[in-house]
Amino acid sequence: MIVIFLGPPGAGKGTQAAHIVERYGIPQLSTGDMLRAAVAAKSPVGLKAKAIMDAGNLVSDDIVAAIIEERIEADDCAPGFLLDGFPRTIPQAEMLDAILTKKERAVDAVVELRVDEAALIDRLRNRIKETKARGEEVRADDNEETFAKRLDVYREQTAPLIPYYEGQGKLRAVDGMQTVEAVSAAIDAILDQIQG
Ligand code: AP5
């Protein structure tokens, strides 16, 4: 089962990914987490990505596609995987299609989490508060100014993936304004159907 989570920053992709990993036993491939690990490790990719991410922009399509291509070679991806935050542009989606076609695999479903923009900003504020309360460091791109930029980037570069996957008959929209548990149940219903 190959599933993509699509949605604006703060839509709940990471939250729901944790549930999918537990319920379906497939790994979460989060390009955001992988890039943050590269930044922390000061690897060549991390050094290139840091300023771009801090500004709320997208890292180049070639870099993220290469990261994903390498990651899906791992044994734990054989039964399937969940892509969280990738693809984020039409060229990335086309690269993914090419990578999977070579392996005679294909995306099964694209789950779009729909959340109002006002709610996204409230969630960001909560996340900042909760992170501070835990004594952890707040993400460098989690501030209101950069968040607004990330939303613009989503509208301009990522939202075109909605008609792209609609055209492939793979888009499944979920109301992300519900409680975490209700969103999980809606996603489970979609994935259970795919698994048959
Ligand atoms: P990335 O790490 O992918 O971040 P993002 O898409 O901006 O998403 P977030 O992690 O902010 O939100 P989320 O949807 O996971 O929500 P969460 O579950 O945390 O990307 C970061 C950067 O990396 C990009 O800007 C870019 O620079 C780079 N990058 C990554 N991928 C790339 C790519 N493919 N190409 C190029 N560049 C790339 O939830 C948010 C909050 O809401 C939490 O506090 C949570 O507890 C709460 N919450 C969740 N669900 C609910 C609910 N139902 N009700 C109430 N609260 C909820």
Side-chain angles (χ1 to χ4, degrees), residues 10 12-15 31 36 57 85 88 92 127 139 150 178:
K13 302 182 294 297
T15 304
T31 40
R36 279 185 288 278
N57 287 313
R88 251 178 158 94
Q92 287 181 21
R127 181 161 71 182
R139 264 168 60 174
R150 286 160 57 198
Q178 311 171 81

Side-chain angles (χ1 to χ4, degrees), residues 55-93:
N57 287 313
L58 294 182
V59 175
S60 89
D61 292 333
D62 292 341
I63 288 181
V64 285
I67 292 176
I68 286 294
E69 184 163 21
E70 191 189 332
R71 179 65 183 84
I72 64 181
E73 291 293 337
D75 289 347
D76 66 334
C77 290
F81 47 88
L82 168 68
L83 291 165
D84 162 11
F86 178 90
R88 251 178 158 94
T89 63
I90 296 280
Q92 287 181 21

Side-chain angles (χ1 to χ4, degrees), residues 33-163:
D33 287 349
M34 294 180 207
L35 289 167
R36 279 185 288 278
V39 169
K42 296 194 166 64
S43 72
V45 164
L47 293 174
K48 263 194 219 163
K50 187 180 184 328
I52 299 170
M53 293 174 75
D54 287 358
N57 287 313
L58 294 182
V59 175
S60 89
D61 292 333
D62 292 341
I63 288 181
V64 285
I67 292 176
I68 286 294
E69 184 163 21
E70 191 189 332
R71 179 65 183 84
I72 64 181
E73 291 293 337
D75 289 347
D76 66 334
C77 290
F81 47 88
L82 168 68
L83 291 165
D84 162 11
F86 178 90
R88 251 178 158 94
T89 63
I90 296 280
Q92 287 181 21
E94 291 170 344
M95 286 178 197
L96 176 66
D97 285 344
I99 292 167
L100 293 178
T101 304
K102 263 196 291 184
K103 298 180 182 302
E104 298 181 355
R105 302 183 81 173
V107 171
D108 292 295
V110 179
V111 175
E112 181 207 350
L113 294 175
R114 291 196 179 156
V115 178
D116 297 347
E117 287 199 4
L120 295 174
I121 299 184
D122 285 344
R123 288 186 188 183
L124 168 83
R125 291 183 182 134
N126 278 338
R127 181 161 71 182
I128 294 172
K129 230 188 277 167
E130 285 166 10
T131 306
K132 285 182 178 163
R134 288 195 303 268
E136 292 169 12
E137 202 178 327
V138 174
R139 264 168 60 174
D141 62 348
D142 262 358
N143 56 70
E144 296 208 15
E145 195 190 335
T146 311
F147 194 77
K149 173 69 187 170
R150 286 160 57 198
L151 274 178
D152 282 346
V153 168
Y154 178 79
R155 276 188 227 105
E156 287 162 21
Q157 299 190 57
T158 307
L161 291 175
I162 296 168

Side-chain angles (χ1 to χ4, degrees), residues 7-28:
K13 302 182 294 297
T15 304
Q16 295 301 331
H19 166 77
I20 296 303
V21 168
E22 197 180 323
R23 181 175 164 105
Y24 296 93
I26 55 173
Q28 169 196 12

